[in-house]
């Protein structure tokens, strides 16, 4: 079963919330939607999508990871 996680960070880039989607038709797309919703509702915050569970969320997020994630989200 495929699992994707939205790692959601506050404005200071500390992990604030995690949303895991397991199974379904397209868990990656659903997780991307959750990330985008979180960013829209929480100005200055951001979210990245990772394959797998919570253990794959980066704890200390770096600006480089943010840049890489946002450049891939549109694909």
């Amino acid at each position: 079963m495929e699992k994707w996680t939205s790692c959601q960070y506050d404005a200071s880039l500390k992990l604030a919330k995690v949303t895991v989607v397991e199974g379904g038709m397209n868990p990656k797309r659903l997780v991307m939607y959750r990330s985008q919703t979180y960013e829209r509702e929480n100005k200055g915050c951001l979210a990245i999508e990772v394959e797998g569970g919570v253990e794959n969320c980066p704890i200390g997020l770096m600006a480089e990871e943010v840049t890489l994630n946002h450049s891939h989200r549109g694909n």
Side-chain angles (χ1 to χ4, degrees), residues 15-68:
L15 190 60
K17 186 178 172 188
V18 173
T19 303
V20 179
V21 176
E22 195 165 357
M25 289 294 290
N26 193 338
K28 182 179 180 183
R29 177 170 280 163
L30 187 52
V31 158
M32 289 178 73
Y33 173 77
R34 300 259 176 99
S35 291
Q36 290 165 344
T37 301
Y38 176 78
E39 289 179 352
R40 268 197 314 276
E41 292 174 355
N42 300 276
K43 298 294 181 206
C45 297
L46 61 95
I48 65 170
E49 301 81 35
V50 295
E51 193 167 3
V54 180
E55 68 277 1
N56 293 331
C57 286
I59 300 301
L61 196 65
M62 301 296 167
E64 177 182 310
E65 291 174 276
V66 174
T67 304
L68 287 171

